PDB file of all heavy atoms in Angstrom:
ATOM      1  N   MET G  12     -25.737  28.231 -38.137  1.00  0.00           N
ATOM      2  CA  MET G  12     -26.488  27.565 -37.070  1.00  0.00           C
ATOM      3  C   MET G  12     -27.824  27.030 -37.596  1.00  0.00           C
ATOM      4  O   MET G  12     -28.231  25.918 -37.262  1.00  0.00           O
ATOM      5  CB  MET G  12     -26.732  28.528 -35.895  1.00  0.00           C
ATOM      6  CG  MET G  12     -25.462  28.879 -35.140  1.00  0.00           C
ATOM      7  SD  MET G  12     -24.607  27.436 -34.472  1.00  0.00           S
ATOM      8  CE  MET G  12     -25.739  26.931 -33.221  1.00  0.00           C
ATOM      9  N   PHE G  13     -28.503  27.808 -38.438  1.00  0.00           N
ATOM     10  CA  PHE G  13     -29.773  27.367 -39.001  1.00  0.00           C
ATOM     11  C   PHE G  13     -29.575  26.165 -39.917  1.00  0.00           C
ATOM     12  O   PHE G  13     -30.345  25.199 -39.875  1.00  0.00           O
ATOM     13  CB  PHE G  13     -30.443  28.513 -39.768  1.00  0.00           C
ATOM     14  CG  PHE G  13     -31.764  28.130 -40.365  1.00  0.00           C
ATOM     15  CD1 PHE G  13     -32.876  27.954 -39.559  1.00  0.00           C
ATOM     16  CD2 PHE G  13     -31.888  27.914 -41.724  1.00  0.00           C
ATOM     17  CE1 PHE G  13     -34.085  27.575 -40.103  1.00  0.00           C
ATOM     18  CE2 PHE G  13     -33.097  27.542 -42.274  1.00  0.00           C
ATOM     19  CZ  PHE G  13     -34.196  27.374 -41.466  1.00  0.00           C
ATOM     20  N   GLU G  14     -28.525  26.193 -40.728  1.00  0.00           N
ATOM     21  CA  GLU G  14     -28.229  25.077 -41.616  1.00  0.00           C
ATOM     22  C   GLU G  14     -27.928  23.806 -40.812  1.00  0.00           C
ATOM     23  O   GLU G  14     -28.420  22.721 -41.135  1.00  0.00           O
ATOM     24  CB  GLU G  14     -27.043  25.422 -42.509  1.00  0.00           C
ATOM     25  CG  GLU G  14     -26.763  24.382 -43.567  1.00  0.00           C
ATOM     26  CD  GLU G  14     -25.624  24.788 -44.476  1.00  0.00           C
ATOM     27  OE1 GLU G  14     -25.455  25.984 -44.742  1.00  0.00           O
ATOM     28  OE2 GLU G  14     -24.902  23.871 -44.921  1.00  0.00           O
ATOM     29  N   ALA G  15     -27.149  23.939 -39.743  1.00  0.00           N
ATOM     30  CA  ALA G  15     -26.838  22.792 -38.886  1.00  0.00           C
ATOM     31  C   ALA G  15     -28.106  22.250 -38.236  1.00  0.00           C
ATOM     32  O   ALA G  15     -28.307  21.037 -38.143  1.00  0.00           O
ATOM     33  CB  ALA G  15     -25.819  23.184 -37.828  1.00  0.00           C
ATOM     34  N   TYR G  16     -28.989  23.154 -37.801  1.00  0.00           N
ATOM     35  CA  TYR G  16     -30.249  22.745 -37.177  1.00  0.00           C
ATOM     36  C   TYR G  16     -31.108  21.969 -38.178  1.00  0.00           C
ATOM     37  O   TYR G  16     -31.671  20.915 -37.855  1.00  0.00           O
ATOM     38  CB  TYR G  16     -31.003  23.978 -36.673  1.00  0.00           C
ATOM     39  CG  TYR G  16     -32.400  23.678 -36.216  1.00  0.00           C
ATOM     40  CD1 TYR G  16     -32.644  23.119 -34.966  1.00  0.00           C
ATOM     41  CD2 TYR G  16     -33.495  23.929 -37.044  1.00  0.00           C
ATOM     42  CE1 TYR G  16     -33.924  22.816 -34.559  1.00  0.00           C
ATOM     43  CE2 TYR G  16     -34.774  23.639 -36.636  1.00  0.00           C
ATOM     44  CZ  TYR G  16     -34.986  23.084 -35.385  1.00  0.00           C
ATOM     45  OH  TYR G  16     -36.256  22.789 -34.978  1.00  0.00           O
ATOM     46  N   CYS G  17     -31.199  22.466 -39.400  1.00  0.00           N
ATOM     47  CA  CYS G  17     -32.012  21.800 -40.426  1.00  0.00           C
ATOM     48  C   CYS G  17     -31.455  20.411 -40.756  1.00  0.00           C
ATOM     49  O   CYS G  17     -32.210  19.445 -40.865  1.00  0.00           O
ATOM     50  CB  CYS G  17     -32.076  22.651 -41.688  1.00  0.00           C
ATOM     51  SG  CYS G  17     -33.066  24.140 -41.489  1.00  0.00           S
ATOM     52  N   LYS G  18     -30.138  20.319 -40.910  1.00  0.00           N
ATOM     53  CA  LYS G  18     -29.531  19.021 -41.210  1.00  0.00           C
ATOM     54  C   LYS G  18     -29.800  18.022 -40.100  1.00  0.00           C
ATOM     55  O   LYS G  18     -30.119  16.866 -40.354  1.00  0.00           O
ATOM     56  CB  LYS G  18     -28.030  19.173 -41.438  1.00  0.00           C
ATOM     57  CG  LYS G  18     -27.670  19.814 -42.756  1.00  0.00           C
ATOM     58  CD  LYS G  18     -26.173  19.941 -42.925  1.00  0.00           C
ATOM     59  CE  LYS G  18     -25.810  20.578 -44.247  1.00  0.00           C
ATOM     60  NZ  LYS G  18     -24.357  20.730 -44.414  1.00  0.00           N
ATOM     61  N   LYS G  19     -29.672  18.467 -38.863  1.00  0.00           N
ATOM     62  CA  LYS G  19     -29.901  17.585 -37.713  1.00  0.00           C
ATOM     63  C   LYS G  19     -31.376  17.155 -37.655  1.00  0.00           C
ATOM     64  O   LYS G  19     -31.678  15.990 -37.376  1.00  0.00           O
ATOM     65  CB  LYS G  19     -29.493  18.294 -36.418  1.00  0.00           C
ATOM     66  CG  LYS G  19     -29.504  17.425 -35.206  1.00  0.00           C
ATOM     67  CD  LYS G  19     -28.436  16.371 -35.290  1.00  0.00           C
ATOM     68  CE  LYS G  19     -28.379  15.588 -33.996  1.00  0.00           C
ATOM     69  NZ  LYS G  19     -27.461  14.472 -34.072  1.00  0.00           N
ATOM     70  N   ALA G  20     -32.288  18.085 -37.935  1.00  0.00           N
ATOM     71  CA  ALA G  20     -33.721  17.764 -37.907  1.00  0.00           C
ATOM     72  C   ALA G  20     -34.063  16.717 -38.966  1.00  0.00           C
ATOM     73  O   ALA G  20     -34.787  15.747 -38.690  1.00  0.00           O
ATOM     74  CB  ALA G  20     -34.543  19.025 -38.116  1.00  0.00           C
TER      75      ALA G  20
END
Side-chain angles (χ1 to χ4, degrees):
M12 291 302 291
F13 180 73
E14 186 177 327
Y16 171 79
C17 289
K18 286 180 180 179
K19 188 67 175 174

